[in-house]
PDB file of all heavy atoms in Angstrom:
ATOM      1  N   ASP A   1      15.368  -9.254 -29.647  1.00 88.00           N
ATOM      2  CA  ASP A   1      15.732  -7.885 -30.032  1.00 88.00           C
ATOM      3  C   ASP A   1      17.181  -7.808 -30.517  1.00 88.00           C
ATOM      4  O   ASP A   1      17.534  -6.898 -31.265  1.00 88.00           O
ATOM      5  CB  ASP A   1      15.532  -6.940 -28.840  1.00 88.00           C
ATOM      6  CG  ASP A   1      14.058  -6.798 -28.450  1.00 88.00           C
ATOM      7  OD1 ASP A   1      13.200  -7.045 -29.320  1.00 88.00           O
ATOM      8  OD2 ASP A   1      13.779  -6.454 -27.294  1.00 88.00           O
ATOM      9  N   ALA A   2      18.012  -8.748 -30.090  1.00 90.00           N
ATOM     10  CA  ALA A   2      19.431  -8.713 -30.460  1.00 90.00           C
ATOM     11  C   ALA A   2      19.668  -9.093 -31.921  1.00 90.00           C
ATOM     12  O   ALA A   2      20.748  -8.835 -32.459  1.00 90.00           O
ATOM     13  CB  ALA A   2      20.223  -9.653 -29.546  1.00 90.00           C
ATOM     14  N   PHE A   3      18.680  -9.704 -32.566  1.00 92.00           N
ATOM     15  CA  PHE A   3      18.879 -10.194 -33.929  1.00 92.00           C
ATOM     16  C   PHE A   3      19.109  -9.057 -34.913  1.00 92.00           C
ATOM     17  O   PHE A   3      19.976  -9.150 -35.794  1.00 92.00           O
ATOM     18  CB  PHE A   3      17.677 -11.035 -34.351  1.00 92.00           C
ATOM     19  CG  PHE A   3      17.793 -11.609 -35.742  1.00 92.00           C
ATOM     20  CD1 PHE A   3      18.841 -12.449 -36.078  1.00 92.00           C
ATOM     21  CD2 PHE A   3      16.849 -11.305 -36.713  1.00 92.00           C
ATOM     22  CE1 PHE A   3      18.942 -12.992 -37.354  1.00 92.00           C
ATOM     23  CE2 PHE A   3      16.943 -11.830 -37.988  1.00 92.00           C
ATOM     24  CZ  PHE A   3      17.996 -12.677 -38.311  1.00 92.00           C
ATOM     25  N   ALA A   4      18.383  -7.956 -34.784  1.00 90.00           N
ATOM     26  CA  ALA A   4      18.551  -6.831 -35.704  1.00 90.00           C
ATOM     27  C   ALA A   4      19.955  -6.250 -35.596  1.00 90.00           C
ATOM     28  O   ALA A   4      20.586  -5.919 -36.611  1.00 90.00           O
ATOM     29  CB  ALA A   4      17.494  -5.760 -35.417  1.00 90.00           C
ATOM     30  N   ALA A   5      20.473  -6.122 -34.360  1.00 89.00           N
ATOM     31  CA  ALA A   5      21.830  -5.608 -34.177  1.00 89.00           C
ATOM     32  C   ALA A   5      22.864  -6.560 -34.761  1.00 89.00           C
ATOM     33  O   ALA A   5      23.876  -6.124 -35.319  1.00 89.00           O
ATOM     34  CB  ALA A   5      22.098  -5.377 -32.693  1.00 89.00           C
ATOM     35  N   TYR A   6      22.596  -7.836 -34.637  1.00 91.00           N
ATOM     36  CA  TYR A   6      23.497  -8.843 -35.212  1.00 91.00           C
ATOM     37  C   TYR A   6      23.580  -8.684 -36.728  1.00 91.00           C
ATOM     38  O   TYR A   6      24.669  -8.722 -37.319  1.00 91.00           O
ATOM     39  CB  TYR A   6      23.000 -10.227 -34.836  1.00 91.00           C
ATOM     40  CG  TYR A   6      23.514 -11.344 -35.719  1.00 91.00           C
ATOM     41  CD1 TYR A   6      24.799 -11.857 -35.567  1.00 91.00           C
ATOM     42  CD2 TYR A   6      22.687 -11.893 -36.710  1.00 91.00           C
ATOM     43  CE1 TYR A   6      25.254 -12.882 -36.385  1.00 91.00           C
ATOM     44  CE2 TYR A   6      23.147 -12.915 -37.519  1.00 91.00           C
ATOM     45  CZ  TYR A   6      24.428 -13.409 -37.364  1.00 91.00           C
ATOM     46  OH  TYR A   6      24.876 -14.421 -38.171  1.00 91.00           O
ATOM     47  N   LEU A   7      22.433  -8.506 -37.386  1.00 91.00           N
ATOM     48  CA  LEU A   7      22.436  -8.352 -38.840  1.00 91.00           C
ATOM     49  C   LEU A   7      23.109  -7.057 -39.266  1.00 91.00           C
ATOM     50  O   LEU A   7      23.828  -7.010 -40.275  1.00 91.00           O
ATOM     51  CB  LEU A   7      21.002  -8.377 -39.376  1.00 91.00           C
ATOM     52  CG  LEU A   7      20.272  -9.718 -39.359  1.00 91.00           C
ATOM     53  CD1 LEU A   7      18.852  -9.540 -39.890  1.00 91.00           C
ATOM     54  CD2 LEU A   7      21.013 -10.760 -40.186  1.00 91.00           C
ATOM     55  N   ALA A   8      22.888  -5.993 -38.497  1.00 87.00           N
ATOM     56  CA  ALA A   8      23.416  -4.682 -38.881  1.00 87.00           C
ATOM     57  C   ALA A   8      24.912  -4.549 -38.603  1.00 87.00           C
ATOM     58  O   ALA A   8      25.663  -3.990 -39.421  1.00 87.00           O
ATOM     59  CB  ALA A   8      22.648  -3.583 -38.143  1.00 87.00           C
ATOM     60  N   ASP A   9      25.366  -5.077 -37.467  1.00 80.00           N
ATOM     61  CA  ASP A   9      26.739  -4.831 -37.033  1.00 80.00           C
ATOM     62  C   ASP A   9      27.571  -6.091 -36.844  1.00 80.00           C
ATOM     63  O   ASP A   9      28.772  -6.001 -36.557  1.00 80.00           O
ATOM     64  CB  ASP A   9      26.738  -4.045 -35.715  1.00 80.00           C
ATOM     65  CG  ASP A   9      25.898  -2.781 -35.802  1.00 80.00           C
ATOM     66  OD1 ASP A   9      25.992  -2.090 -36.836  1.00 80.00           O
ATOM     67  OD2 ASP A   9      25.148  -2.507 -34.852  1.00 80.00           O
ATOM     68  N   GLY A  10      26.951  -7.249 -36.949  1.00 74.00           N
ATOM     69  CA  GLY A  10      27.695  -8.488 -36.714  1.00 74.00           C
ATOM     70  C   GLY A  10      27.919  -8.777 -35.252  1.00 74.00           C
ATOM     71  O   GLY A  10      28.797  -9.579 -34.908  1.00 74.00           O
ATOM     72  N   ASP A  11      27.140  -8.142 -34.356  1.00 67.00           N
ATOM     73  CA  ASP A  11      27.302  -8.385 -32.923  1.00 67.00           C
ATOM     74  C   ASP A  11      26.867  -9.809 -32.580  1.00 67.00           C
ATOM     75  O   ASP A  11      25.770 -10.246 -32.943  1.00 67.00           O
ATOM     76  CB  ASP A  11      26.445  -7.405 -32.107  1.00 67.00           C
ATOM     77  CG  ASP A  11      26.936  -5.974 -32.243  1.00 67.00           C
ATOM     78  OD1 ASP A  11      28.111  -5.804 -32.626  1.00 67.00           O
ATOM     79  OD2 ASP A  11      26.157  -5.053 -31.977  1.00 67.00           O
ATOM     80  N   LEU A  12      27.742 -10.528 -31.876  1.00 68.00           N
ATOM     81  CA  LEU A  12      27.436 -11.904 -31.510  1.00 68.00           C
ATOM     82  C   LEU A  12      26.483 -11.942 -30.321  1.00 68.00           C
ATOM     83  O   LEU A  12      26.582 -11.114 -29.407  1.00 68.00           O
ATOM     84  CB  LEU A  12      28.719 -12.656 -31.153  1.00 68.00           C
ATOM     85  CG  LEU A  12      29.729 -12.821 -32.283  1.00 68.00           C
ATOM     86  CD1 LEU A  12      30.963 -13.553 -31.770  1.00 68.00           C
ATOM     87  CD2 LEU A  12      29.126 -13.588 -33.437  1.00 68.00           C
ATOM     88  N   PRO A  13      25.553 -12.901 -30.309  1.00 61.00           N
ATOM     89  CA  PRO A  13      24.653 -13.037 -29.161  1.00 61.00           C
ATOM     90  C   PRO A  13      25.407 -13.613 -27.971  1.00 61.00           C
ATOM     91  O   PRO A  13      26.503 -14.156 -28.128  1.00 61.00           O
ATOM     92  CB  PRO A  13      23.593 -14.020 -29.670  1.00 61.00           C
ATOM     93  CG  PRO A  13      24.316 -14.839 -30.682  1.00 61.00           C
ATOM     94  CD  PRO A  13      25.286 -13.896 -31.351  1.00 61.00           C
ATOM     95  N   PRO A  14      24.851 -13.515 -26.760  1.00 58.00           N
ATOM     96  CA  PRO A  14      25.508 -14.098 -25.585  1.00 58.00           C
ATOM     97  C   PRO A  14      25.709 -15.595 -25.767  1.00 58.00           C
ATOM     98  O   PRO A  14      24.924 -16.278 -26.423  1.00 58.00           O
ATOM     99  CB  PRO A  14      24.508 -13.806 -24.447  1.00 58.00           C
ATOM    100  CG  PRO A  14      23.667 -12.675 -24.943  1.00 58.00           C
ATOM    101  CD  PRO A  14      23.594 -12.836 -26.428  1.00 58.00           C
ATOM    102  N   THR A  15      26.799 -16.115 -25.186  1.00 56.00           N
ATOM    103  CA  THR A  15      27.098 -17.534 -25.282  1.00 56.00           C
ATOM    104  C   THR A  15      26.053 -18.343 -24.526  1.00 56.00           C
ATOM    105  O   THR A  15      25.707 -18.033 -23.387  1.00 56.00           O
ATOM    106  CB  THR A  15      28.490 -17.827 -24.689  1.00 56.00           C
ATOM    107  OG1 THR A  15      29.458 -17.039 -25.390  1.00 56.00           O
ATOM    108  CG2 THR A  15      28.834 -19.298 -24.827  1.00 56.00           C
ATOM    109  N   ARG A  16      25.546 -19.381 -25.193  1.00 54.00           N
ATOM    110  CA  ARG A  16      24.557 -20.245 -24.568  1.00 54.00           C
ATOM    111  C   ARG A  16      25.227 -21.210 -23.605  1.00 54.00           C
ATOM    112  O   ARG A  16      26.409 -21.493 -23.701  1.00 54.00           O
ATOM    113  CB  ARG A  16      23.800 -21.046 -25.639  1.00 54.00           C
ATOM    114  CG  ARG A  16      22.984 -20.186 -26.572  1.00 54.00           C
ATOM    115  CD  ARG A  16      22.404 -21.029 -27.685  1.00 54.00           C
ATOM    116  NE  ARG A  16      21.551 -22.079 -27.162  1.00 54.00           N
ATOM    117  CZ  ARG A  16      20.249 -21.945 -26.947  1.00 54.00           C
ATOM    118  NH1 ARG A  16      19.657 -20.797 -27.218  1.00 54.00           N
ATOM    119  NH2 ARG A  16      19.532 -22.945 -26.483  1.00 54.00           N
ATOM    120  N   SER A  17      24.456 -21.708 -22.666  1.00 52.00           N
ATOM    121  CA  SER A  17      24.975 -22.693 -21.724  1.00 52.00           C
ATOM    122  C   SER A  17      25.441 -23.937 -22.466  1.00 52.00           C
ATOM    123  O   SER A  17      24.827 -24.377 -23.427  1.00 52.00           O
ATOM    124  CB  SER A  17      23.879 -23.068 -20.713  1.00 52.00           C
ATOM    125  OG  SER A  17      24.288 -24.164 -19.947  1.00 52.00           O
ATOM    126  N   SER A  18      26.564 -24.490 -22.013  1.00 53.00           N
ATOM    127  CA  SER A  18      27.104 -25.687 -22.647  1.00 53.00           C
ATOM    128  C   SER A  18      26.567 -26.962 -22.014  1.00 53.00           C
ATOM    129  O   SER A  18      26.947 -28.061 -22.414  1.00 53.00           O
ATOM    130  CB  SER A  18      28.632 -25.687 -22.539  1.00 53.00           C
ATOM    131  OG  SER A  18      29.029 -25.673 -21.176  1.00 53.00           O
ATOM    132  N   LEU A  19      25.690 -26.843 -21.005  1.00 54.00           N
ATOM    133  CA  LEU A  19      25.149 -28.037 -20.369  1.00 54.00           C
ATOM    134  C   LEU A  19      24.256 -28.791 -21.341  1.00 54.00           C
ATOM    135  O   LEU A  19      23.493 -28.189 -22.077  1.00 54.00           O
ATOM    136  CB  LEU A  19      24.344 -27.648 -19.122  1.00 54.00           C
ATOM    137  CG  LEU A  19      25.146 -27.086 -17.957  1.00 54.00           C
ATOM    138  CD1 LEU A  19      24.207 -26.723 -16.820  1.00 54.00           C
ATOM    139  CD2 LEU A  19      26.188 -28.082 -17.476  1.00 54.00           C
ATOM    140  N   PRO A  20      24.357 -30.109 -21.349  1.00 63.00           N
ATOM    141  CA  PRO A  20      23.521 -30.888 -22.274  1.00 63.00           C
ATOM    142  C   PRO A  20      22.056 -30.855 -21.867  1.00 63.00           C
ATOM    143  O   PRO A  20      21.714 -30.582 -20.714  1.00 63.00           O
ATOM    144  CB  PRO A  20      24.099 -32.303 -22.153  1.00 63.00           C
ATOM    145  CG  PRO A  20      24.724 -32.331 -20.799  1.00 63.00           C
ATOM    146  CD  PRO A  20      25.250 -30.946 -20.550  1.00 63.00           C
ATOM    147  N   ASN A  21      21.201 -31.143 -22.830  1.00 65.00           N
ATOM    148  CA  ASN A  21      19.769 -31.190 -22.574  1.00 65.00           C
ATOM    149  C   ASN A  21      19.392 -32.616 -22.185  1.00 65.00           C
ATOM    150  O   ASN A  21      19.070 -33.444 -23.028  1.00 65.00           O
ATOM    151  CB  ASN A  21      19.008 -30.752 -23.826  1.00 65.00           C
ATOM    152  CG  ASN A  21      17.513 -30.711 -23.595  1.00 65.00           C
ATOM    153  OD1 ASN A  21      17.054 -30.604 -22.459  1.00 65.00           O
ATOM    154  ND2 ASN A  21      16.749 -30.833 -24.666  1.00 65.00           N
ATOM    155  N   PHE A  22      19.467 -32.924 -20.881  1.00 68.00           N
ATOM    156  CA  PHE A  22      19.202 -34.278 -20.421  1.00 68.00           C
ATOM    157  C   PHE A  22      17.730 -34.642 -20.585  1.00 68.00           C
ATOM    158  O   PHE A  22      16.850 -33.807 -20.401  1.00 68.00           O
ATOM    159  CB  PHE A  22      19.571 -34.422 -18.936  1.00 68.00           C
ATOM    160  CG  PHE A  22      21.039 -34.287 -18.658  1.00 68.00           C
ATOM    161  CD1 PHE A  22      21.517 -33.281 -17.840  1.00 68.00           C
ATOM    162  CD2 PHE A  22      21.942 -35.166 -19.221  1.00 68.00           C
ATOM    163  CE1 PHE A  22      22.861 -33.148 -17.576  1.00 68.00           C
ATOM    164  CE2 PHE A  22      23.295 -35.063 -18.953  1.00 68.00           C
ATOM    165  CZ  PHE A  22      23.758 -34.046 -18.142  1.00 68.00           C
ATOM    166  N   THR A  23      17.481 -35.902 -20.930  1.00 69.00           N
ATOM    167  CA  THR A  23      16.125 -36.414 -20.973  1.00 69.00           C
ATOM    168  C   THR A  23      15.855 -37.219 -19.714  1.00 69.00           C
ATOM    169  O   THR A  23      16.768 -37.632 -19.008  1.00 69.00           O
ATOM    170  CB  THR A  23      15.923 -37.308 -22.205  1.00 69.00           C
ATOM    171  OG1 THR A  23      16.877 -38.383 -22.160  1.00 69.00           O
ATOM    172  CG2 THR A  23      16.113 -36.516 -23.492  1.00 69.00           C
ATOM    173  N   GLU A  24      14.594 -37.425 -19.443  1.00 74.00           N
ATOM    174  CA  GLU A  24      14.226 -38.247 -18.284  1.00 74.00           C
ATOM    175  C   GLU A  24      14.372 -39.720 -18.640  1.00 74.00           C
ATOM    176  O   GLU A  24      14.188 -40.108 -19.780  1.00 74.00           O
ATOM    177  CB  GLU A  24      12.780 -37.940 -17.869  1.00 74.00           C
ATOM    178  CG  GLU A  24      12.578 -36.554 -17.292  1.00 74.00           C
ATOM    179  CD  GLU A  24      13.290 -36.367 -15.950  1.00 74.00           C
ATOM    180  OE1 GLU A  24      13.801 -37.365 -15.396  1.00 74.00           O
ATOM    181  OE2 GLU A  24      13.315 -35.232 -15.473  1.00 74.00           O
ATOM    182  N   PRO A  25      14.760 -40.591 -17.667  1.00 79.00           N
ATOM    183  CA  PRO A  25      14.954 -40.249 -16.252  1.00 79.00           C
ATOM    184  C   PRO A  25      16.385 -39.844 -15.900  1.00 79.00           C
ATOM    185  O   PRO A  25      16.693 -39.682 -14.722  1.00 79.00           O
ATOM    186  CB  PRO A  25      14.589 -41.554 -15.552  1.00 79.00           C
ATOM    187  CG  PRO A  25      15.067 -42.607 -16.506  1.00 79.00           C
ATOM    188  CD  PRO A  25      14.793 -42.063 -17.877  1.00 79.00           C
ATOM    189  N   THR A  26      17.276 -39.691 -16.907  1.00 80.00           N
ATOM    190  CA  THR A  26      18.671 -39.342 -16.613  1.00 80.00           C
ATOM    191  C   THR A  26      18.759 -38.067 -15.781  1.00 80.00           C
ATOM    192  O   THR A  26      19.531 -37.980 -14.816  1.00 80.00           O
ATOM    193  CB  THR A  26      19.458 -39.161 -17.921  1.00 80.00           C
ATOM    194  OG1 THR A  26      19.399 -40.379 -18.669  1.00 80.00           O
ATOM    195  CG2 THR A  26      20.903 -38.797 -17.643  1.00 80.00           C
ATOM    196  N   ARG A  27      17.949 -37.049 -16.155  1.00 79.00           N
ATOM    197  CA  ARG A  27      17.984 -35.775 -15.424  1.00 79.00           C
ATOM    198  C   ARG A  27      17.682 -35.989 -13.943  1.00 79.00           C
ATOM    199  O   ARG A  27      18.357 -35.459 -13.059  1.00 79.00           O
ATOM    200  CB  ARG A  27      16.988 -34.799 -16.044  1.00 79.00           C
ATOM    201  CG  ARG A  27      16.960 -33.437 -15.341  1.00 79.00           C
ATOM    202  CD  ARG A  27      15.795 -32.576 -15.797  1.00 79.00           C
ATOM    203  NE  ARG A  27      15.876 -32.254 -17.215  1.00 79.00           N
ATOM    204  CZ  ARG A  27      15.034 -32.723 -18.142  1.00 79.00           C
ATOM    205  NH1 ARG A  27      14.059 -33.554 -17.780  1.00 79.00           N
ATOM    206  NH2 ARG A  27      15.166 -32.395 -19.400  1.00 79.00           N
ATOM    207  N   SER A  28      16.656 -36.793 -13.660  1.00 82.00           N
ATOM    208  CA  SER A  28      16.254 -37.008 -12.268  1.00 82.00           C
ATOM    209  C   SER A  28      17.289 -37.802 -11.489  1.00 82.00           C
ATOM    210  O   SER A  28      17.549 -37.545 -10.309  1.00 82.00           O
ATOM    211  CB  SER A  28      14.898 -37.728 -12.237  1.00 82.00           C
ATOM    212  OG  SER A  28      13.884 -36.911 -12.782  1.00 82.00           O
ATOM    213  N   TYR A  29      17.918 -38.789 -12.151  1.00 82.00           N
ATOM    214  CA  TYR A  29      18.943 -39.578 -11.464  1.00 82.00           C
ATOM    215  C   TYR A  29      20.144 -38.707 -11.095  1.00 82.00           C
ATOM    216  O   TYR A  29      20.689 -38.803  -9.985  1.00 82.00           O
ATOM    217  CB  TYR A  29      19.393 -40.732 -12.346  1.00 82.00           C
ATOM    218  CG  TYR A  29      18.358 -41.837 -12.499  1.00 82.00           C
ATOM    219  CD1 TYR A  29      18.197 -42.481 -13.726  1.00 82.00           C
ATOM    220  CD2 TYR A  29      17.571 -42.240 -11.431  1.00 82.00           C
ATOM    221  CE1 TYR A  29      17.253 -43.496 -13.877  1.00 82.00           C
ATOM    222  CE2 TYR A  29      16.630 -43.238 -11.570  1.00 82.00           C
ATOM    223  CZ  TYR A  29      16.471 -43.876 -12.793  1.00 82.00           C
ATOM    224  OH  TYR A  29      15.548 -44.870 -12.937  1.00 82.00           O
ATOM    225  N   ILE A  30      20.586 -37.864 -12.014  1.00 84.00           N
ATOM    226  CA  ILE A  30      21.722 -36.987 -11.733  1.00 84.00           C
ATOM    227  C   ILE A  30      21.359 -35.980 -10.638  1.00 84.00           C
ATOM    228  O   ILE A  30      22.159 -35.676  -9.749  1.00 84.00           O
ATOM    229  CB  ILE A  30      22.185 -36.275 -13.011  1.00 84.00           C
ATOM    230  CG1 ILE A  30      22.769 -37.294 -13.998  1.00 84.00           C
ATOM    231  CG2 ILE A  30      23.209 -35.197 -12.702  1.00 84.00           C
ATOM    232  CD1 ILE A  30      23.173 -36.709 -15.328  1.00 84.00           C
ATOM    233  N   ALA A  31      20.129 -35.460 -10.700  1.00 83.00           N
ATOM    234  CA  ALA A  31      19.685 -34.518  -9.672  1.00 83.00           C
ATOM    235  C   ALA A  31      19.651 -35.190  -8.299  1.00 83.00           C
ATOM    236  O   ALA A  31      20.017 -34.589  -7.282  1.00 83.00           O
ATOM    237  CB  ALA A  31      18.304 -33.964 -10.036  1.00 83.00           C
ATOM    238  N   ALA A  32      19.212 -36.456  -8.281  1.00 82.00           N
ATOM    239  CA  ALA A  32      19.175 -37.178  -7.003  1.00 82.00           C
ATOM    240  C   ALA A  32      20.580 -37.367  -6.441  1.00 82.00           C
ATOM    241  O   ALA A  32      20.819 -37.182  -5.237  1.00 82.00           O
ATOM    242  CB  ALA A  32      18.489 -38.533  -7.199  1.00 82.00           C
ATOM    243  N   LEU A  33      21.541 -37.720  -7.313  1.00 82.00           N
ATOM    244  CA  LEU A  33      22.918 -37.876  -6.848  1.00 82.00           C
ATOM    245  C   LEU A  33      23.475 -36.572  -6.294  1.00 82.00           C
ATOM    246  O   LEU A  33      24.254 -36.569  -5.339  1.00 82.00           O
ATOM    247  CB  LEU A  33      23.805 -38.364  -7.994  1.00 82.00           C
ATOM    248  CG  LEU A  33      23.661 -39.827  -8.407  1.00 82.00           C
ATOM    249  CD1 LEU A  33      24.569 -40.124  -9.595  1.00 82.00           C
ATOM    250  CD2 LEU A  33      24.000 -40.744  -7.232  1.00 82.00           C
ATOM    251  N   ALA A  34      23.078 -35.458  -6.898  1.00 84.00           N
ATOM    252  CA  ALA A  34      23.599 -34.157  -6.456  1.00 84.00           C
ATOM    253  C   ALA A  34      23.223 -33.857  -5.010  1.00 84.00           C
ATOM    254  O   ALA A  34      23.909 -33.089  -4.323  1.00 84.00           O
ATOM    255  CB  ALA A  34      23.075 -33.055  -7.373  1.00 84.00           C
ATOM    256  N   LEU A  35      22.151 -34.476  -4.537  1.00 80.00           N
ATOM    257  CA  LEU A  35      21.749 -34.266  -3.140  1.00 80.00           C
ATOM    258  C   LEU A  35      22.768 -34.843  -2.164  1.00 80.00           C
ATOM    259  O   LEU A  35      22.819 -34.442  -0.993  1.00 80.00           O
ATOM    260  CB  LEU A  35      20.381 -34.915  -2.884  1.00 80.00           C
ATOM    261  CG  LEU A  35      19.203 -34.351  -3.693  1.00 80.00           C
ATOM    262  CD1 LEU A  35      17.952 -35.185  -3.438  1.00 80.00           C
ATOM    263  CD2 LEU A  35      18.958 -32.895  -3.320  1.00 80.00           C
ATOM    264  N   LEU A  36      23.587 -35.783  -2.645  1.00 77.00           N
ATOM    265  CA  LEU A  36      24.566 -36.431  -1.767  1.00 77.00           C
ATOM    266  C   LEU A  36      25.899 -35.704  -1.740  1.00 77.00           C
ATOM    267  O   LEU A  36      26.791 -36.086  -0.984  1.00 77.00           O
ATOM    268  CB  LEU A  36      24.789 -37.879  -2.222  1.00 77.00           C
ATOM    269  CG  LEU A  36      23.540 -38.774  -2.260  1.00 77.00           C
ATOM    270  CD1 LEU A  36      23.920 -40.185  -2.680  1.00 77.00           C
ATOM    271  CD2 LEU A  36      22.837 -38.781  -0.904  1.00 77.00           C
ATOM    272  N   GLY A  37      26.072 -34.687  -2.578  1.00 78.00           N
ATOM    273  CA  GLY A  37      27.327 -33.949  -2.596  1.00 78.00           C
ATOM    274  C   GLY A  37      28.002 -34.016  -3.943  1.00 78.00           C
ATOM    275  O   GLY A  37      27.458 -34.558  -4.918  1.00 78.00           O
ATOM    276  N   THR A  38      29.218 -33.463  -4.022  1.00 78.00           N
ATOM    277  CA  THR A  38      29.939 -33.401  -5.291  1.00 78.00           C
ATOM    278  C   THR A  38      30.876 -34.580  -5.503  1.00 78.00           C
ATOM    279  O   THR A  38      31.334 -34.818  -6.623  1.00 78.00           O
ATOM    280  CB  THR A  38      30.753 -32.099  -5.379  1.00 78.00           C
ATOM    281  OG1 THR A  38      31.647 -32.046  -4.254  1.00 78.00           O
ATOM    282  CG2 THR A  38      29.834 -30.889  -5.365  1.00 78.00           C
TER     283      THR A  38
END
């Protein structure tokens, strides 16, 4: 729905997350490490 307002007024959409799109199994390995703390 925000696209029409963007075209009419130049309103910018909300900023997207900067987190990368991890592929498997990298995502699972990082998630497993997160269980051990920061």
